[in-house]
Amino acid sequence: MFHVEHHGATVAMDVSKYVRSIDINLSTAQLGLISIYVDELGGWGQKINLTAITDPLELSIKHFLDSLYGARHLILDEKPNLLDIGSGAGFPGIPLKIVHPEIDLYLIEKNKKKVSFLSYLIGKLRLERCHIIAKSASEALNDRTLRGKFKNIVVRAVGFKQIATAVSDFMHPDGRAIIYATEQTANYEIFEPMTVSEMVAYHLPQGYGRRTLIFVDKARDSRINRVPRGT
């Protein structure tokens, strides 16, 4: 359980420092939202299991910084949208929304307690154009208006193999999914019926491990562009 309280300002400042390495500069207002997010995560974490991370520095790097590595790779057209499948405590969808408030954000999360947290958090942060789908990914596909809708889909801390077909059905023909993978899960062979177009590797600071962003789309070009990046 998450028992750290009132560390929002500390985490926000750490995030502000570390995201400069990936060319993100957070405004005072954005830092304020991160601070509130962390404090609410701490308060709710005493009642429900939202994250096992209790150290503020670890939280700033493993959850917020890691989530924001995807911010540079989003497709931001005239009406950008983003689907976060298995959002949990809101990572990576809500940090990405904080950085890009123009995004129309959809969060899929079937756990009722986590849905309650997400609903409260969105209201507390006064985030507009946020939608919570309190269903599994396969159940959400019963809403045909969601099929082929999303230019950006993110999946983090969720087994992608089990939802690959759903991701393909949600994806706009010109869209793509960003898979946040650890060294153990960075296996591009499991992404059928889609194609891996790029893999971006990076190291989290303070020795918190190697990660890979895996980009999948509906194209049939089997070439893979692996781009190593570190911090």
Side-chain angles (χ1 to χ4, degrees):
M1 301 289 282
F2 185 83
H3 295 294
V4 177
E5 296 183 34
H6 309 304
H7 285 291
T10 299
V11 171
M13 292 309 297
D14 283 338
V15 174
S16 177
K17 177 177 66 175
Y18 285 115
V19 296
R20 292 172 193 150
S21 66
I22 54 175
D23 299 322
I24 295 175
N25 292 306
L26 297 172
S27 67
T28 300
Q30 288 169 325
L31 293 176
L33 293 179
I34 290 174
S35 179
I36 295 170
Y37 191 168
V38 172
D39 286 338
E40 294 299 336
L41 192 65
W44 278 71
Q46 296 185 44
K47 298 176 287 186
I48 64 175
N49 184 19
L50 291 171
T51 175
I53 296 176
T54 60
D55 177 73
L57 179 62
E58 189 176 3
L59 179 63
S60 68
I61 293 174
K62 283 190 174 182
H63 278 336
F64 286 94
L65 175 64
D66 189 39
S67 293
L68 293 176
Y69 266 97
R72 297 178 296 173
H73 304 283
L74 297 177
I75 299 170
L76 300 174
D77 53 17
E78 291 183 359
K79 294 182 179 180
N81 61 25
L82 171 66
L83 175 66
D84 181 1
I85 299 179
S87 188
F91 302 104
I94 291 182
L96 292 171
K97 172 71 173 179
I98 289 173
V99 170
H100 292 294
E102 71 275 19
I103 285 175
D104 195 8
L105 176 64
Y106 288 73
L107 305 172
I108 289 182
E109 176 53 54
K110 64 180 181 180
N111 183 287
K112 292 182 179 179
K113 292 182 179 179
K114 292 178 180 178
V115 167
S116 295
F117 169 72
L118 291 172
S119 179
Y120 174 83
L121 180 66
I122 288 169
K124 184 73 174 182
L125 300 181
R126 298 183 179 180
L127 298 177
E128 299 178 348
R129 297 185 301 280
C130 288
H131 317 271
I132 300 173
I133 303 171
K135 300 177 181 180
S136 68
S138 59
E139 291 170 341
L141 283 171
N142 291 327
D143 183 349
R144 294 190 173 275
T145 65
L146 300 177
R147 291 176 176 262
K149 178 181 180 69
F150 296 99
K151 290 286 188 73
N152 301 288
I153 300 173
V154 290
V155 180
R156 182 177 182 267
V158 175
F160 185 79
K161 188 174 183 179
Q162 291 72 32
I163 60 171
T165 299
V167 170
S168 180
D169 289 341
F170 283 122
M171 190 183 298
H172 187 278
D174 297 324
R176 65 181 175 187
I178 304 175
I179 315 304
Y180 290 72
T182 65
E183 290 183 87
Q184 290 74 31
T185 61
N187 182 352
Y188 64 85
E189 295 178 354
I190 68 173
F191 297 112
E192 296 181 356
M194 290 164 289
T195 299
V196 174
S197 58
E198 185 177 7
M199 299 176 72
V200 177
Y202 57 96
H203 287 84
L204 294 176
Q206 302 295 327
Y208 279 123
R210 184 178 183 272
R211 300 287 189 270
T212 303
L213 296 180
I214 302 175
F215 302 88
V216 297
D217 54 39
K218 292 187 176 183
R220 296 301 174 186
D221 188 346
S222 62
R223 292 174 296 174
I224 300 173
N225 180 23
R226 295 180 177 84
V227 183
R229 294 182 184 175
T231 58

